Amino acid sequence: MTRPLPPAIVPCAMTVHAPGAPAIRRTLDIAEETPVTLSFNGMAHGVMMATPLDLRDFATGFALTEGIIPDLAALKDVTVRAGDDHAGVEMRIDGPSFHRLLARGRRAMTGRTSCGVCGTDARDVLDRPRRTVPDAPPDLMAVGRALAALPGRQVLNARARMLHAAAWCAPDGEIMHVREDVGRHNALDKLVGAGLRDGVDFGRGFCVITSRCSYEMAHKAIMAGMPGLVAVSAPTARALRVAAEAGLYLAAPARAASVMVPDLVIEK
């Protein structure tokens, strides 16, 4: 019996907190995020984080736009398989296309500024190092202060209106460091690097990111030892699972006027 892929969208119970108002409950639909291994003629090429829907279309488009095949005729077959916590797309391509792929060398693909490549096997995602973070959830009033102040600290985005930001905040919400980049992952890595170089204690305070919160953003915050991560946009289901496992306090989506906090851990 063929294993089904997980649903692309799952419901998540949230509590909405707003200053001067009672907390209210609501359900938010959030996207699932799954490591997808792409293979050509039996050779693993890379892993992409993707919504587990229309994977045959995704793989076909990827093969063409990455220059692996010159046209659809070179793609002979596409098979999608679901695993316990990942998916795989096996593609059979013609001889000339496969020879060109081999000539490139077996390498991890060029990193993206959005959802990116995590290696050449799903275990590169599923078996990443894990740790727990301090149990120090941020004060929601402090979160609101940080969110209100952050736009004024986004110097590059004020000019270009196209950059992500990651900010490290003291427990009272004062913004201590801000880093910007066209890539949300890059902005967070820059922030962590700046904090390490300046001797910041990442166990006291919280991080704010202006992007959505994918599993990789949660993982990076956990690896830095941050107890709290606040995202302007919604989290993915995998990000919630990763955060819950490590004890990371995750608030998303969040605005200066209101913050949404997941109530439940989403089951796999």
Side-chain angles (χ1 to χ4, degrees), residues 215-228:
Y215 110 93
E216 190 165 7
M217 300 297 276
H219 177 79
K220 287 176 181 291
I222 292 164
M223 293 304 293
M226 298 175 177

Side-chain angles (χ1 to χ4, degrees), residues 104-124:
R104 294 184 184 184
R106 194 165 181 182
R107 57 177 177 82
M109 298 173 290
T110 303
R112 311 296 200 267
T113 57
S114 57
C115 280
V117 176
C118 304
T120 57
D121 189 274
R123 303 318 312 179
D124 295 335

Side-chain angles (χ1 to χ4, degrees), residues 9 62 80 178 191 266:
I9 302 292
F62 179 93
V80 177
V178 178
L191 178 70
I266 296 179

Side-chain angles (χ1 to χ4, degrees), residues 25-48:
R25 298 284 301 277
R26 64 166 292 191
T27 298
L28 183 70
D29 284 338
I30 62 175
E32 184 57 90
E33 185 180 18
T34 300
V36 179
T37 303
L38 302 176
S39 301
F40 294 92
N41 292 11
M43 184 182 76
H45 182 67
V47 178
M48 299 291 288

Side-chain angles (χ1 to χ4, degrees), residues 41 50 74 95 127 131 146 154 156 179 184 206 210 218 229 242 248 251 262 265:
N41 292 11
D127 293 341
R131 59 180 298 184
Q154 294 176 247
L156 299 181
R179 290 295 183 269
R184 56 196 172 89
F206 58 94
T210 60
L229 179 62
V242 168
L248 174 69
V265 177

Side-chain angles (χ1 to χ4, degrees), residues 189-255:
D189 283 339
K190 287 180 177 180
L191 178 70
V192 171
L196 291 175
R197 291 167 62 88
D198 288 350
V200 169
D201 178 5
F202 282 127
R204 296 188 68 256
F206 58 94
C207 179
V208 176
I209 56 175
T210 60
S211 62
R212 66 183 175 82
C213 184
S214 64
Y215 110 93
E216 190 165 7
M217 300 297 276
H219 177 79
K220 287 176 181 291
I222 292 164
M223 293 304 293
M226 298 175 177
L229 179 62
V230 178
V232 169
S233 192
T236 65
R238 184 174 294 274
L240 292 184
R241 294 194 295 267
V242 168
E245 183 177 300
L248 174 69
Y249 182 92
L250 182 59
R255 300 289 189 275

